[in-house]
Amino acid sequence: MYDGGNIFIKTKIMIEQVLNIHIKKCLSILYSAENENIQFQKTRKEFEGDITLVVFPLIKSSRKDPETTGKEIGNYLKEKVVEVDNFNVVKGFLNLTISSKFWLNQFISAYNTEDFGFVEVDENAPTYLIEYCSPNTNKPLHLGHIRNNLLGYSVSEIIKASGKNVIKVQIINDRGIHICKSMIAWQDYGNGETPESTGLKGDHLVGKYYVEFNKHYKSEIDELVASGMDQKQAEKEAPIFKRAQEMLIKWESKDIEVRSLWEKMNAWVYSGFDITHKRLGINFDKNYYESDTYLLGKKVVKLGLEKGVFYQKEDNSVWIDLSKEGLDEKIILRSDGTAVYITQDIGTAIQRHEDFRFSNMAYTVANEQDYHFKVLFLILEKLGYDWAKSCYHLSYGMVDLPTGKMKSREGMVVDADDLIQEMVDTAKSLAKELGKLEGLSQSEAEELYEIVGLGALKYFMLKIDSKKRIMFDPKESIDFNGNTGPFIQYTYARIQSLIKKYNSKIRDIKLVNITFEEKNLIKQILDFPNLIQEAAENYSPAIIANYTYELVRTYNSFYQNNPVLNAENEDVRNFRVCLSDMVANIIKNSMKLLGVAVPNQM
């Protein structure tokens, strides 16, 4: 299997192996010690060095204090090991400075590695199934869906880059009382409107009637309460709500007329979703539909009862008692035999494993459902499904705007399409203000607005740890300074301009003396494969986002202190152009993992 992407891991192992051999020899010569516990770690930023030997475990053999032991080992390594240039000792830590020649050779190897950092996926590699989006077909996608989609898609791409097979799925909630509400309102007040006749996206049109339903529902409740009825009773007796319930019963009995309307309105919504997904740049390998899966879990109830995992109450409802695990009792099947959400999720999970034989499955769902997934995974485990231990809830915090929270029933929703367009419009306004359109045609300028606006949105959403709640400020996210998508995109574009100005063809890199800034940049470049693996293991795009920002900062420091096109000789000039080119490639590939495009000109 191709594993060129693991060059940094190999680099780290290689230097540790070299040092390990020499340190063992050193310990034998200096202290007559063998089989010592040799531990390495990354040198802390505040100290000079590239790799650190932990001295404390060795003082038993040296019978000396940590600092003396560290200095003796350091002197030996500096004299005997060509890769070691220098050292310093801080308390019980020996910080070793590795030679510039070593780092330069590692950079040359990385530069000549295609798709550096990425591990080619082998067909026998583990399969990860990632669920995200999971919308309802009674309304458009909103701000919360944007974070969900971007997070799920990016995690999928990162895990794929780490060398795993990935299947992207979504469960579309296309049935239930909330769907019938939109259908009833369209029947009553739609006058035959269609996306074509109104010019509205299909999901927006259907969402309009979900809001319309709740407006009339509230009015009817108010009338019933005014006539003396209790509030809760009024909510059940409102005529429009009772009609929605009747429609749901007809849907479940496969009434032809109701099913026909349901299919027509859902088709409008799917068309609208596709437009939004395409603009966001996300996709799926398989769609699951609640209308197909909502009965699946009921088949498992009998199995659970036989195994003693579930128990039945006198009213025939089925439950599980998880109090020993620190959780509560959970209903699995209602007394009338109808399923609840957890039942459906049990059945869908089992079906997905039958479909794909995944090794791991992650659900991208807001942290409001943390408890739900604890229960789901525990139930699956108790039912005897070993793969349940490899299920993961990719929990994320909610997204707020400075204007406040969202309420979809009243139509007070931050619509995904509106927010995307606002970001593009903001990018357009700012680009004109900053004069970043020189030499661009109208179509090129429009493409740039799209790249920058969406880049700002995606990067802001993904740079923050998924578990944290976000206060999303569109203006802050599109700043061309600081930890933002446009700042990183601008650095990429500037490097492309630099390479374009380089008159000579990029050639093989010669061994040159590298500066402090160049060495730091090389070390960060070589970190990229390791960061992909770390981000994949932690389901964390934030690791990639913030690595990229730090890489860009390091590059800008290098650029300010090291002339590139005006370097002292051709070999140094060629090396610095290659170094810049490598940084640009990593920016492009890391941003691609976040779903963010980068412009060649900006």
Side-chain angles (χ1 to χ4, degrees):
M1 183 173 124
Y2 166 85
D3 61 354
N6 283 327
I7 188 169
F8 175 72
I9 297 168
K10 287 182 176 178
T11 300
K12 183 174 183 288
I13 292 171
M14 189 177 83
I15 193 62
E16 286 187 2
Q17 286 174 340
V18 169
L19 293 172
N20 198 60
I21 292 167
H22 286 282
I23 290 169
K24 282 184 176 179
K25 190 173 180 181
C26 167
L27 295 173
S28 177
I29 293 171
L30 296 180
Y31 312 124
S32 301
E34 294 183 2
N35 301 319
E36 289 295 327
N37 180 21
I38 297 172
Q39 299 176 18
F40 294 105
Q41 62 186 37
K42 200 169 184 178
T43 304
R44 290 169 58 177
K45 288 182 179 180
E46 59 264 38
F47 303 122
E48 185 180 346
D50 303 305
I51 189 167
T52 295
L53 172 69
V54 183
V55 179
F56 293 110
L58 309 177
I59 60 175
K60 186 177 179 181
S61 297
S62 71
R63 296 180 181 179
K64 299 178 182 179
D65 63 82
E67 290 198 20
T68 302
T69 305
K71 285 176 183 177
E72 289 180 348
I73 297 172
N75 282 319
Y76 178 92
L77 294 175
K78 185 177 179 181
E79 181 182 343
K80 301 292 185 181
V81 184
V82 295
E83 288 85 1
V84 176
D85 260 3
N86 212 340
F87 72 92
N88 65 83
V89 179
V90 180
K91 296 182 179 179
F93 299 94
L94 171 59
N95 303 316
L96 300 168
T97 300
I98 307 304
S99 71
S100 294
K101 184 178 179 181
F102 173 84
W103 293 115
L104 183 58
N105 281 328
Q106 294 308 315
F107 169 73
I108 292 170
S109 178
Y111 186 70
N112 292 317
T113 299
E114 187 177 356
D115 290 329
F116 171 72
F118 288 61
V119 179
E120 188 174 344
V121 179
D122 187 282
E123 61 181 12
N124 296 316
T127 295
Y128 281 64
L129 189 144
I130 312 294
E131 177 195 287
Y132 57 98
C133 194
S134 305
N136 296 323
T137 58
N138 64 321
K139 52 191 174 185
L141 302 178
H142 55 63
L143 176 59
H145 286 116
I146 288 181
R147 188 176 197 190
N148 183 301
N149 277 292
L150 298 181
L151 183 59
Y153 176 81
S154 181
V155 164
S156 300
E157 293 300 303
I158 290 168
I159 292 175
K160 190 190 302 179
S162 77
K164 313 298 191 301
N165 291 293
V166 173
I167 307 293
K168 305 169 186 172
V169 303
Q170 64 171 330
I171 177 81
I172 298 175
N173 303 300
D174 63 341
R175 62 164 289 279
I177 189 69
H178 52 294
I179 309 299
C180 293
K181 288 177 180 180
S182 294
M183 292 164 63
I184 287 289
W186 183 83
Q187 280 184 326
D188 287 357
Y189 311 107
N191 298 314
E193 282 189 345
T194 67
E196 291 75 21
S197 69
T198 60
L200 289 174
K201 281 174 79 247
D203 52 335
H204 286 254
L205 180 64
V206 173
K208 168 185 170 183
Y209 286 101
Y210 182 64
V211 173
E212 190 70 21
F213 176 93
N214 282 287
K215 185 176 74 174
H216 288 277
Y217 180 39
K218 187 175 183 299
S219 176
E220 289 183 0
I221 291 171
D222 290 343
E223 287 180 17
L224 291 172
V225 170
S227 67
M229 189 178 288
D230 174 76
Q231 174 76 25
K232 289 187 177 179
Q233 186 65 24
E235 289 171 2
K236 294 177 182 178
E237 296 297 329
I240 196 169
F241 178 72
K242 296 182 79 171
R243 287 179 57 216
Q245 286 182 311
E246 290 165 6
M247 178 176 277
L248 179 59
I249 293 169
K250 287 183 178 180
W251 181 91
E252 289 180 348
S253 63
K254 298 185 179 179
D255 179 272
I256 294 174
E257 186 177 330
V258 169
R259 285 281 177 136
S260 176
L261 176 60
W262 171 74
E263 288 172 359
K264 178 170 71 174
M265 293 182 71
N266 274 353
W268 293 346
V269 175
Y270 299 147
S271 177
F273 285 169
D274 286 345
I275 292 170
T276 307
H277 288 155
K278 186 175 180 181
R279 198 169 187 190
L280 279 176
I282 67 163
N283 61 339
F284 303 93
D285 298 306
K286 182 175 176 63
N287 293 328
Y288 287 86
Y289 297 89
E290 188 179 340
S291 55
D292 295 328
T293 65
Y294 80 106
L295 297 176
L296 285 177
K298 293 180 73 173
K299 299 176 184 177
V300 187
V301 173
K302 185 178 179 183
L303 173 67
L305 287 169
E306 290 172 355
K307 287 190 171 187
V309 175
F310 303 146
Y311 68 92
Q312 200 160 21
K313 290 189 176 181
E314 290 182 1
D315 64 356
N316 290 325
S317 61
V318 178
W319 296 71
I320 185 170
D321 186 359
L322 298 173
S323 55
K324 289 182 180 178
E325 287 79 11
L327 304 176
D328 299 323
E329 287 185 305
K330 179 72 177 178
I331 189 168
I332 304 298
L333 212 62
R334 296 187 185 97
S335 57
D336 61 2
T338 57
V340 293
Y341 273 114
I342 197 81
T343 328
Q344 173 187 303
D345 284 348
I346 292 167
T348 305
I350 296 167
Q351 183 63 53
R352 286 171 174 172
H353 193 262
E354 290 177 2
D355 290 345
F356 296 108
R357 298 296 168 186
F358 59 76
S359 58
N360 297 71
M361 175 164 62
Y363 295 81
T364 311
V365 182
N367 56 17
E368 294 172 325
Q369 297 298 322
D370 285 352
Y371 182 82
H372 174 88
F373 285 102
K374 283 181 184 177
V375 172
L376 173 63
F377 301 157
L378 193 52
I379 290 174
L380 289 168
E381 199 173 325
K382 284 178 175 290
L383 288 171
Y385 297 103
D386 290 340
W387 46 263
K389 295 174 183 175
S390 299
C391 289
Y392 179 74
H393 176 204
L394 179 49
S395 175
Y396 63 90
M398 304 302 285
V399 184
D400 298 318
L401 287 171
T403 51
K405 292 184 178 181
M406 302 182 295
K407 295 181 181 178
S408 59
R409 290 180 183 178
E410 286 80 18
M412 295 167 57
V413 177
V414 182
D415 182 84
D417 296 309
D418 291 344
L419 181 58
I420 291 168
Q421 191 57 50
E422 180 185 342
M423 295 300 298
V424 173
D425 290 343
T426 303
K428 180 176 183 178
S429 174
L430 195 57
K432 288 181 176 180
E433 182 183 322
L434 298 175
K436 294 186 178 294
L437 305 174
E438 186 177 343
L440 295 180
S441 66
Q442 183 61 36
S443 62
E444 288 171 334
E446 294 295 336
E447 183 182 2
L448 179 63
Y449 308 147
E450 191 83 6
I451 289 173
V452 173
L454 282 169
L457 172 65
K458 293 177 180 182
Y459 184 84
F460 193 99
M461 290 282 182
L462 295 174
K463 74 175 182 178
I464 298 169
D465 185 288
S466 63
K467 292 180 175 59
K468 294 181 179 178
R469 193 170 188 128
I470 290 179
M471 174 63 74
F472 178 69
D473 185 338
K475 290 182 180 178
E476 180 187 339
S477 74
I478 213 161
D479 194 346
F480 280 84
N481 296 298
N483 190 3
T484 67
F487 173 68
I488 294 169
Q489 289 172 321
Y490 178 68
T491 299
Y492 176 84
R494 188 169 67 174
I495 294 174
Q496 296 309 301
S497 175
L498 182 150
I499 293 170
K500 191 175 180 181
K501 289 176 183 176
Y502 184 54
N503 293 324
S504 304
K505 183 180 179 182
I506 292 176
R507 53 186 173 78
D508 290 342
I509 301 167
K510 301 287 177 63
L511 291 178
V512 297
N513 293 321
I514 61 175
T515 65
F516 173 78
E517 290 87 3
E518 289 166 340
K519 180 181 173 182
N520 278 347
L521 196 51
I522 288 171
K523 285 166 65 177
Q524 268 187 285
I525 286 168
L526 296 176
D527 244 341
F528 185 47
N530 218 33
L531 267 292
I532 289 177
Q533 297 298 322
E534 184 184 340
E537 289 170 12
N538 291 282
Y539 296 86
S540 177
I543 289 173
I544 297 295
N546 290 291
Y547 161 80
T548 310
Y549 171 62
E550 290 302 327
L551 178 68
V552 166
R553 287 183 66 200
T554 303
Y555 177 79
N556 288 334
S557 176
F558 149 78
Y559 187 79
Q560 289 169 7
N561 293 288
N562 299 269
V564 178
L565 298 182
N566 296 320
E568 59 265 31
N569 62 60
E570 183 56 34
D571 287 344
V572 173
R573 183 159 51 250
N574 182 72
F575 161 66
R576 288 178 180 171
V577 169
C578 290
L579 190 58
S580 300
D581 188 35
M582 187 68 177
V583 170
N585 285 334
I586 291 181
I587 291 172
K588 184 175 184 178
N589 287 332
S590 61
M591 294 293 267
K592 184 179 179 183
L593 293 177
L594 304 178
V596 178
V598 286
N600 289 321
Q601 184 176 347
M602 192 167 168

